[in-house]
Amino acid sequence: MKENQYQLIATAAFGLEAIVAKEVRDLGYENVEVENGKVMFQADAAGIARANLWLRSADRVKWQVGQFRATSFDELFEQTKALPWGEILPRNAEFPVIGKSVKSQLFSVSDCQAIVKKAIVEKMKMKFGMPWFPEDGPLYRIEVSLLKDIATLSIDTSGDGLHKRGYRQLHNEAPLKETMAAALIQLTNWRPDRPFHDPFCGSGTIPIEAALIGQNIAPGFNRNFISQTWRNFPKEIWDQALEEAEDLARYDQPLEIMGTDIDRDTIELANHNAQEAGFADLIKFKQVAVADLRTDLTYGYLVGNPPYGERLKDVETARMIYRQLAATYERSFPTWSLYIFTADEEFEEIFGKPATKKRKLYNGRIRCDYYQYYGPRPPRDQDGGNNNEARI
């Protein structure tokens, strides 16, 4: 690894790793490795700021301090102690240790956490010559993760999960995470010059994420990150990353984005959240049932997360909505592409038409499918690209 380079881990929901890897590469970072639930890459200190600001579909960004094989507590202690904690943590750092263990001989997570904590304290005693540490300063949340006897020690650089953009203070009972909403959009090839409509908008997450993408606004621009409090990363690094994000934003990009829902209260939530995100005059929210949807626009994108049995506690009600969606799509949106995210494995049968393509994803612990129905290609004079799925 080059000097002043950090080994970073962008964690991701299962099924979204390839999307996160593409986002990392789009930021200019190479040597990207993908494993289940995470994407590893190398970056300088500025990369920590840029990754936190720009990754739309990742859960959080971690700094990997060390990785080694450990099959005994002695090995875990000695190899943890050998890492440069005194160069990383200030003497007043608050450094709780969390952990997990999968298919490893060291299966007691609480014991592993205690061993790692003790090893770090011993290393810091050597560095600072102090018998104890007050832990009343900046927070460094350390994780020891054991997988098949390989221990990975990392520090969370994000703080709150990256799905917390700062705009959604209010939400409905079953909100879709902002990171998943962004991923659903990125799995289409929607462009800002095309209409975009969420027919099940709920609290507005998918339309708001579409607006952020359409105007190339960094999703983390209006929030703070725990690593901003660390001495390791001077304020100038964050200032430069924020300035870059401001320069790259396209606030004057016109967008045709709409969200509709049958429930009046959720439309009020959506309008509130759009206002918090700065899109009050840009996104149109309206109370409309799926069966009543109409449009004069063409070659747009319908992207939605409809209610399903897990959420409604009533599978048949959900399936009635799917039938209404099928009739509406055929009648009023013949040139549009349709993307539906649901846990109902019989969606295609109820909808009455097989998807062009479907992709398995997880909404929390719920297995879902993303059903993709490609619309016809726009005339050549209306389209600068193709109408196939984004290749991720």
Side-chain angles (χ1 to χ4, degrees), residues 120-140:
I120 296 172
V121 169
E122 290 303 312
K123 185 60 174 279
M124 291 182 69
K125 285 180 179 179
M126 295 169 59
K127 169 70 175 179
F128 297 112
M130 297 169 61
W132 67 281
F133 298 91
E135 296 199 45
D136 57 0
L139 175 63
Y140 291 73

Side-chain angles (χ1 to χ4, degrees), residues 176 184 196-201 206 302-306 338-342 370:
L176 187 72
L184 297 181
F196 185 98
H197 187 159
D198 178 358
F200 311 99
C201 70
I206 292 177
L302 283 163
V303 180
N305 173 216
L338 173 68
Y339 296 79
I340 294 296
F341 184 55
T342 177
Y370 196 32

Side-chain angles (χ1 to χ4, degrees), residues 155-262:
I155 304 175
D156 173 29
T157 73
S158 301
D160 287 336
L162 295 182
H163 70 282
K164 293 191 176 181
R165 317 288 209 215
Y167 64 76
R168 197 172 71 175
Q169 299 173 7
L170 302 174
H171 54 75
N172 52 8
E173 291 183 359
L176 187 72
K177 274 190 175 182
E178 293 88 333
T179 45
M180 178 60 75
L184 297 181
I185 298 162
Q186 292 181 97
L187 282 169
T188 76
N189 75 326
W190 173 72
R191 302 196 316 260
D193 61 346
R194 293 290 171 203
F196 185 98
H197 187 159
D198 178 358
F200 311 99
C201 70
S203 55
T205 306
I206 292 177
I208 292 171
E209 290 298 316
L212 289 169
I213 291 170
Q215 293 195 334
N216 199 40
I217 297 172
F221 190 77
N222 290 315
R223 57 159 287 179
N224 294 317
F225 303 94
I226 193 65
S227 45
Q228 287 176 273
T229 67
W230 298 352
R231 68 177 186 183
N232 315 69
F233 309 109
K235 181 176 180 294
E236 294 76 20
I237 288 175
W238 288 93
D239 288 344
Q240 290 170 9
L242 287 165
E243 184 178 350
E244 176 193 42
E246 182 72 24
D247 290 343
L248 291 173
R250 300 190 296 265
Y251 297 116
D252 58 349
Q253 170 67 52
L255 298 171
E256 185 69 49
I257 297 177
M258 174 173 280
T260 54
D261 199 284
I262 194 172

